[in-house]
Amino acid sequence: MKVLICDDQKEFLIKLKKLLVDILSEIELRYHLISFTNPDQALEYITVYMDVDIVFMDILMGEKNGYEIAKKIRKISPKCKIIFLTTTTAYALKGYLIQVACYLTKPVKRSELANALGTVIKELQSQYNNNEYIIEKNDFGIHKLYFNEIIFIETSKRNTLIHTISGNYVSYKSMKEHEKRLNNLFIRCHSSYIVNMNFIKDYHGYELYLISGDIVWVSKNRRKEFLYTLTKFYGNLLR
């Protein structure tokens, strides 16, 4: 579990780190704690490594606005938990829009910090038990894509295109490379398509109708294997 703290008040930062170390050690959770007084450096770290699970972000940091930084973090890392450190409730509605986990009012009480931390850790552990992901790097940036959010992958000119519930991402990997790193939710139904079976709505002949409204093809030479795998998948769901 990687936890990042960003607050421009060094004295408060030191106290918060001590509290977090105490609480995390008490619950016997393996963790890595990092801190920044500069929000731009914190954002740069998250952009590069994309592995931060929990972010504690001060809202008012001199000329910097923690809410604006949090908005950027949310786009980079949709699954991380953001906890605002604040002396004001002015951003309560805006925080809802970027799915802030909670607000902790300064000075932070140990009991409130422990409760907030316990809640987000349980949520994260639930996500990790049910989600795997891939990291996709292209000319537009680095993207963390969870398996249960990938609808299908298709060939696109010389590249491939990953369709997800939050948008489409160009990939420079081949379909064979995708197959090797995906789990058994996915099936190659055509030389040009890999589909997440959770998103299949209907199937007729050689056409697959997806929940997203997309239609993809099942090739003749893959049809038998596809039907067998899909039937087995649905059978497991009915058990």
Side-chain angles (χ1 to χ4, degrees):
M1 190 79 64
K2 185 172 282 190
V3 182
L4 182 147
I5 315 168
C6 185
D7 196 296
D8 63 340
Q9 297 176 356
K10 290 184 179 180
E11 188 177 339
F12 173 80
L13 194 63
I14 292 169
K15 289 180 180 178
L16 183 61
K17 285 172 70 175
K18 286 181 178 179
L19 281 175
L20 285 171
V21 168
D22 184 39
I23 295 168
L24 290 167
S25 299
E26 217 173 66
I27 60 179
E28 299 182 349
L29 181 74
R30 292 181 63 184
Y31 67 92
H32 179 55
L33 188 62
I34 48 179
S35 61
F36 296 90
T37 55
N38 185 319
D40 291 328
Q41 291 178 352
L43 180 62
E44 182 181 0
Y45 182 93
I46 292 170
T47 303
V48 171
Y49 294 100
M50 294 186 64
D51 61 352
V52 174
D53 301 292
I54 303 171
V55 174
F56 288 88
M57 177 68 64
D58 187 15
I59 294 180
L60 303 176
M61 292 180 280
E63 295 179 358
K64 297 293 182 180
N65 186 309
Y67 172 74
E68 295 301 325
I69 299 294
K71 275 174 63 178
K72 295 176 181 177
I73 291 172
R74 176 57 69 226
K75 289 181 180 179
I76 297 165
S77 186
K79 296 293 183 179
C80 83
K81 300 295 182 180
I82 299 174
I83 297 174
F84 273 153
L85 305 168
T86 180
T87 55
T88 174
T89 58
Y91 290 85
L93 179 58
K94 286 185 176 181
Y96 174 78
L97 297 175
I98 59 170
Q99 298 177 314
V100 170
C102 69
Y103 289 76
L104 292 177
T105 305
K106 294 181 176 181
V108 175
K109 295 179 181 177
R110 188 190 188 282
S111 59
E112 293 176 350
L113 179 61
N115 287 337
L117 203 54
T119 298
V120 296
I121 287 172
K122 284 181 181 178
E123 291 174 357
L124 285 167
Q125 288 174 334
S126 176
Q127 286 179 8
Y128 296 153
N129 289 337
N130 297 305
N131 291 296
E132 296 176 85
Y133 61 86
I134 55 175
I135 299 295
E136 196 63 48
K137 185 177 181 181
N138 57 29
D139 290 345
F140 304 98
I142 303 173
H143 315 282
K144 191 175 186 178
L145 307 178
Y146 286 83
F147 286 175
N148 67 351
E149 295 181 349
I150 298 173
I151 303 169
F152 71 102
I153 303 172
E154 66 174 327
T155 56
S156 178
K157 297 180 180 179
R158 294 184 178 181
N159 300 313
T160 52
L161 189 63
I162 303 174
H163 296 259
T164 78
I165 59 176
S166 59
N168 302 332
Y169 299 85
V170 174
S171 171
Y172 306 134
K173 290 183 170 57
S174 68
M175 297 295 269
K176 283 187 177 180
E177 288 174 308
H178 287 308
E179 279 187 289
K180 288 179 181 178
R181 61 184 187 153
L182 295 171
N183 63 15
N184 57 9
L185 286 177
F186 295 85
I187 183 168
R188 183 88 175 265
C189 60
H190 190 282
S191 59
S192 299
Y193 298 109
I194 296 173
V195 176
N196 184 335
M197 290 184 284
N198 275 324
F199 286 94
I200 295 175
K201 181 181 180 182
D202 210 346
Y203 169 67
H204 293 294
Y206 294 95
E207 291 183 329
L208 270 183
Y209 297 83
L210 306 181
I211 294 172
S212 60
D214 295 288
I215 301 174
V216 301
W217 292 91
V218 178
S219 63
K220 187 174 182 181
N221 63 328
R222 293 179 186 268
R223 186 170 182 265
K224 184 177 180 179
E225 181 185 354
F226 165 75
L227 288 174
Y228 172 80
T229 305
L230 185 64
T231 302
K232 186 177 179 181
F233 173 72
Y234 284 148
N236 287 334
L237 291 179
L238 294 172
R239 287 179 183 175

